[in-house]
């Protein structure tokens, strides 16, 4: 059964129009996508929420929302551009890359099927997407890679080759990214099973899945948050009250309990 927090929502990532914003690299601007008939008004707002730049682009696009708690994504690591995603469930998914300095569209991508933005490699050569293979079972999905240099969807899925039987399912609740932009760590709530962390290496195009041994209330993982150590050597899963639950050694992927949390 799907927990109540997500039962009325399509699983992330999905595109949002309106007030949902994507911050610029230095935090001085907020990018938003506004509905204008069948088209989209892309705007950049300053810290006073005043529009300083805007442009209308054809089609219905929105800011990519990565988690159910509102975290957005799509900004290039160098802050030069960002990715917009088509709105709603369509037989063809579209993505638009927009320049951050002028809001001019650089590239438009059209893919048959249901895809959503997931991550970008630091050099912006690869775009990672979550593909829902069925709109009837939206909790199950696979990760795909799109080559932005050759403009091709790469064959196969991005998966944990050490755990070939691992099935990606659940709802994204939090995401942190390494300082160099290489690793994207996403915490998923998994109703009926263990929560897990999906660690995506955006440079090599490989992933690791780490099960989080939670035995308590199935709603609790919705309030858990990730915290990456400054030196990038470990990743903590913290509970709602801020107390650390487990830590993941990012060199070995081994889990240890924090603060006597036991398990």
């Amino acid at each position: 059964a799907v927990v109540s927090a997500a039962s009325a929502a399509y699983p992330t990532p999905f595109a949002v129009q309106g007030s949902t914003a994507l911050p610029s690299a230095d935090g001085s601007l907020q990018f938003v996508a506004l509905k204008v008939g069948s088209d989209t008004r892309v705007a950049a707002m300053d810290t006073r929420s005043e529009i300083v730049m805007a442009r209308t682009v054809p089609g219905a696009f929105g800011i990519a929302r990565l988690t159910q708690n509102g975290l957005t994504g799509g900004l290039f690591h160098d802050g030069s551009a960002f990715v917009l995603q088509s709105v709603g469930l369509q037989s063809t998914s579209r993505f638009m890359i927009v320049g951050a300095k002028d809001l001019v569209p650089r590239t438009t991508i059209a893919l048959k099927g249901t895809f959503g933005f997931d991550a970008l490699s630091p050099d912006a050569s690869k775009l990672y997407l979550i593909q829902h293979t069925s709109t009837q079972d939206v909790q199950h999905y696979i990760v795909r890679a799109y080559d932005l240099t050759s403009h091709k969807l790469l064959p196969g899925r991005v998966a944990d080759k050490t755990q070939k039987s691992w099935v990606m399912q659940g709802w994204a609740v939090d995401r942190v990214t390494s300082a160099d932009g290489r690793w994207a760590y996403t915490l998923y709530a998994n109703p009926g099973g263990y929560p897990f962390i999906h660690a995506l290496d955006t440079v090599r195009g490989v992933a690791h899945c780490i099960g989080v041994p939670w035995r308590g209330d199935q709603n609790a993982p919705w309030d858990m948050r990730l915290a990456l150590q400054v030196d990038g050597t470990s990743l903590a899963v913290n509970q709602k009250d801020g107390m650390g639950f487990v830590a993941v050694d990012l060199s070995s992927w081994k889990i240890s309990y924090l603060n006597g949390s036991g398990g």
Side-chain angles (χ1 to χ4, degrees):
V2 178
V3 293
S4 58
S7 60
Y10 183 75
T12 50
F14 54 82
V16 181
Q17 294 181 326
S19 60
T20 297
L22 175 69
S24 63
D26 62 3
S28 64
L29 296 174
Q30 299 275 324
F31 301 110
V32 296
L34 309 170
K35 179 179 173 60
V36 181
S38 60
D39 296 327
T40 304
R41 187 76 167 166
V42 184
M45 301 187 301
D46 61 18
T47 55
R48 297 170 296 178
S49 298
E50 294 183 359
I51 294 178
V52 297
M53 182 170 43
R55 184 180 298 273
T56 299
V57 299
F61 291 91
I63 300 296
R65 183 166 163 176
L66 299 178
T67 68
Q68 294 290 337
N69 64 14
L71 183 67
T72 58
L75 187 71
F76 280 38
H77 184 63
D78 64 3
S80 64
F82 56 94
V83 181
L84 295 178
Q85 177 179 321
S86 56
V87 176
L89 287 176
Q90 309 292 338
S91 58
T92 298
S93 301
R94 290 180 169 81
F95 301 88
M96 181 180 287
I97 297 176
V98 178
K101 290 185 178 180
D102 54 14
L103 303 184
V104 172
R106 294 182 177 179
T107 304
T108 301
I109 299 164
L111 299 171
K112 290 184 178 180
T114 306
F115 292 83
F117 173 85
D118 188 30
L120 284 157
S121 61
D123 64 357
S125 65
K126 288 187 176 62
L127 168 64
Y128 291 90
L129 305 167
I130 284 181
Q131 180 183 14
H132 294 277
T133 55
S134 168
T135 56
Q136 305 303 313
D137 184 11
V138 293
Q139 284 194 77
H140 291 80
Y141 39 84
I142 58 176
V143 179
R144 302 288 302 274
Y146 183 91
D147 191 316
L148 287 169
T149 302
S150 62
H151 301 285
K152 292 181 180 179
L153 183 66
L154 300 180
R157 66 182 67 185
V158 178
D160 187 339
K161 295 181 179 179
T162 65
Q163 301 185 65
K164 295 183 179 180
S165 62
W166 190 287
V167 177
M168 288 282 290
Q169 63 180 20
W171 309 79
V173 296
D174 199 26
R175 157 78 64 89
V176 294
T177 304
S178 61
D180 61 3
R182 176 171 181 168
W183 287 91
Y185 304 100
T186 310
L187 174 66
Y188 285 86
N190 183 15
Y194 282 147
F196 67 94
I197 298 166
H198 184 260
L200 173 63
D201 182 344
T202 65
V203 172
R204 294 180 56 223
V206 296
H208 296 276
C209 289
I210 307 105
V212 178
W214 177 258
R215 298 186 178 91
D217 183 350
Q218 285 291 305
N219 284 308
W222 287 95
D223 295 317
M224 290 180 177
R225 296 294 178 264
L226 297 175
L228 186 63
Q229 290 246 350
V230 175
D231 61 6
T233 60
S234 69
L235 179 71
V237 179
N238 297 324
Q239 299 181 71
K240 184 178 182 179
D241 59 5
M243 181 175 291
F245 174 52
V246 296
V248 180
D249 184 319
L250 297 179
S251 62
S252 65
W253 307 112
K254 291 183 178 179
I255 281 183
S256 59
Y257 289 100
L258 299 172
N259 302 314
S261 54

